[in-house]
């Protein structure tokens, strides 16, 4: 584990699984990144975390979950 925050490390693992074609495992790690607290950003999630989670949900044919995450992202990042 590098010196980056937990969210970034979990996100990177999810990206690797996604690149390997393992969507289920990628989504597991994107959710872990989504739920990780980032003290460096005042508990705000990274835009990249939202992006990867939403993209994976859409690929997995879960548009309702993707829409809910997007709405949350707009509310949080739009501040």
């Amino acid at each position: 584990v590098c010196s980056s925050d937990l969210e970034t490390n979990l996100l990177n693992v999810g990206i690797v699984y996604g690149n390997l074609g393992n969507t289920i495992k990628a989504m597991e790690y994107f959710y872990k990144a989504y739920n990780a607290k980032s003290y460096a950003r005042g508990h705000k999630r990274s835009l990249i975390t939202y992006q990867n989670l939403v993209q994976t949900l859409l690929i997995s044919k879960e548009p309702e979950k993707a829409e809910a995450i997007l709405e949350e992202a707009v509310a949080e990042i739009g501040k």
Side-chain angles (χ1 to χ4, degrees), residues 7-50:
E7 179 185 357
T8 301
N9 289 326
L10 293 168
L11 178 66
N12 287 337
V13 173
I15 290 170
V16 170
Y17 276 117
N19 288 340
L20 293 172
N22 191 336
T23 305
I24 293 170
K25 207 67 166 158
M27 190 175 330
E28 176 185 334
Y29 277 89
F30 293 148
Y31 268 116
K32 286 180 180 185
Y34 172 82
N35 290 314
K37 295 287 185 189
S38 175
Y39 295 98
R41 286 187 296 274
H43 297 292
K44 287 191 175 186
R45 292 179 185 92
S46 165
L47 179 59
I48 298 169
T49 297
Y50 282 117

